Amino acid sequence: MNRREFLGRVALAAASLSGCASLGTRTTPDSPPAQARAPRKVVILGAGLAGLVAAHELTQAGHDVTILEARARPGGRVHTLREPFSDGLHAEAGALFIPSNHQLTLQYANFFSLPIRPNPPLSAPGLFYVRGQRVVANWGPNVEWPFDLTADETKLGVGGMWEKYIGAELEGLGDVTAPGWPSDPGLETLDRMSVAEFLRSRGASQGAVALLRVGFLDLVGDGIDSYSALLMLRRFALRRTESLRFSITGGADRLPRAFATTLAARIRYQSPVVRIEPGETSASVVIGRDGQHQRLTADHIVCTIPFSVLKSIDVSPSFSPQKARAVDQLPYTSSTRVYLQFRRKAWTSERPYVTATTDLPMKWVFEHTASQPGPRGILEAQATGVDGRRVAQMGESDRVQFALSQLQRIFPGLSGDFERGVSKSWDEDPWARGAFAYFRPGQMLSLLPHIVRPEGRVHFAGEHASPWSAWMEGALESGLRAAREVNETPPAAR
Ligand SMILES: Cc1cc2nc3c(=O)[nH]c(=O)nc-3n(C[C@H](O)[C@H](O)[C@H](O)COP(=O)(O)OP(=O)(O)OC[C@H]3O[C@@H](n4cnc5c(N)ncnc54)[C@H](O)[C@@H]3O)c2cc1C
């Protein structure tokens, strides 16, 4: 994509956003719950985006809402780091990008008047560090990759290979956002395959599999041997209409904070839920704080706690066996991100911004400060899967030194400008226990139907309970869906 096309896409995306604003400047996005016929008492577990949007819409609909949040802040996995950086710089520990087809995220950012800015498109020429070599390349044809590709694959380039091996399969998936998807039993074969098996079965050479996994397919779970090909295909299907990626200027946490400001009186921070008591006409939760326990009973509970945390919470009477299995078995991707501050952005002499994709343990390098003022810059190096867990086992200063040594291989001479670093392991976070949910081969068909289904008066939301899993869009979509479920459930007979 050249600069003209890039600016054209920015203009188009801006026009579609201002179009939504013109419906009435501060509209709420599509399909909020209708005004409550009978106001209910609703307790929401978690003040991440799923819990916040559910609380926002249920409050608007006239319900009596309380949010219980274990942390001292809102936002959960949307978390902007401002310490220990200089000059007011910041970096994202969690969510960063908003793809242009994530309508709910863009519309809520617009609703709260948060400025957004476009990021360089993913298809722009990027820096790869693979097999010990630096390659500056785009996804186009005839790139000299240090991989053993067939003549046809070299001619196709990365983009062409995506189309050939993956794009061709998407038509047969149906609407991946439809409730109850995947209902077609024919998709079971794809679910049982790992991504690596799928690529090989579609004729990809060993070299092509090795190239396609770098920095992208390997960022989920423990890499391409570990997760369902059907999950990978769903992720691609949802990217079909994406043209650009945006970020919220000033930090992604401005979105959850905006929700939390409007809901301030309803959020109870530092209130970890230790027990859930589902019921058919009401449900209760117990908060454990400073050795004290407090029970709250409500007409409905909306649980947005990640299953990785929920599986250690006492549930009595227990969930159905299918739900309990889904909670217990749903795996989460390990991610350890290390942020390094440099006194100057030496890399700008070569490239205006940095995104590097590598086959090193730190698989992805990204500059968080490309549009932040001042001479200093922050580069992030991210390790996921097995490497993410290995880096997480190191002490804080070893993590920083390790990330610096990896960056030094990609950008020789960089370490002379290094000032300080900090890291975030999502596995270690007691209220996340992982970065985002994924499915091992065979799990999509067996677990997916049971993730969303309510258990009596307990409803479920969160990125894990949405087709847009691993995105803010998934949190918002599932939170709205759970809010509608609450609103549409007939009141219990008293
Ligand atoms: C490394 C990383 C990179 C990402 N990149 C992007 C990106 O670029 N773009 C994008 O759109 N998305 C991205 N995401 C995904 C996005 O951040 C999540 O999908 C979304 O924020 C999840 O929201 P949620 O409400 O479902 O869960 P959470 O944000 O996890 O909210 C759940 C809340 O429940 C609370 N909680 C947990 N246990 C308890 C308990 N016992 N009692 C009370 N409260 C509890 C937690 O503290 C938390 O606040 C990324 C995530 C990670 C981790």
Side-chain angles (χ1 to χ4, degrees), residues 66-126:
T66 303
I67 308 184
L68 302 176
E69 168 55 52
R71 304 176 200 262
R73 62 163 180 88
R77 282 170 279 169
V78 181
H79 182 36
T80 307
L81 300 175
R82 296 186 171 78
E83 302 287 333
F85 306 122
S86 313
D87 307 337
L89 296 176
H90 64 266
E92 300 299 345
L96 167 64
F97 297 121
I98 310 175
S100 54
N101 60 345
H102 286 198
Q103 287 300 316
L104 288 173
T105 318
L106 289 169
Q107 287 177 18
Y108 276 109
N110 186 48
F111 174 71
F112 289 116
S113 306
L114 300 177
I116 56 167
R117 57 161 206 285
N119 287 280
L122 294 180
S123 53

Side-chain angles (χ1 to χ4, degrees), residues 17 29-31 48-51 53-54 77-78 95-110 177 238-239 241-242 246 248 255 259 461-482 484:
L17 269 181
D30 299 341
S31 348
L49 282 179
V53 77
R77 282 170 279 169
V78 181
L96 167 64
F97 297 121
I98 310 175
S100 54
N101 60 345
H102 286 198
Q103 287 300 316
L104 288 173
T105 318
L106 289 169
Q107 287 177 18
Y108 276 109
N110 186 48
T177 64
L238 292 172
R239 289 187 57 176
T241 52
E242 170 187 335
F246 296 91
I248 295 174
L255 181 57
F259 275 111
E463 58 86 17
H464 53 285
S466 169
W468 286 273
S469 69
W471 293 103
M472 293 186 278
E473 187 78 358
L476 294 169
E477 185 274 335
S478 64
L480 277 174
R481 191 253 313 131
R484 283 196 299 275

Side-chain angles (χ1 to χ4, degrees), residues 38-41 280-283 297-300 457 490-494:
R40 323 274 168 79
K41 190 168 160 48
E280 288 306 317
T281 54
S282 66
T297 299
D299 297 309
H300 296 267
R457 289 302 181 99
R494 302 262 177 215

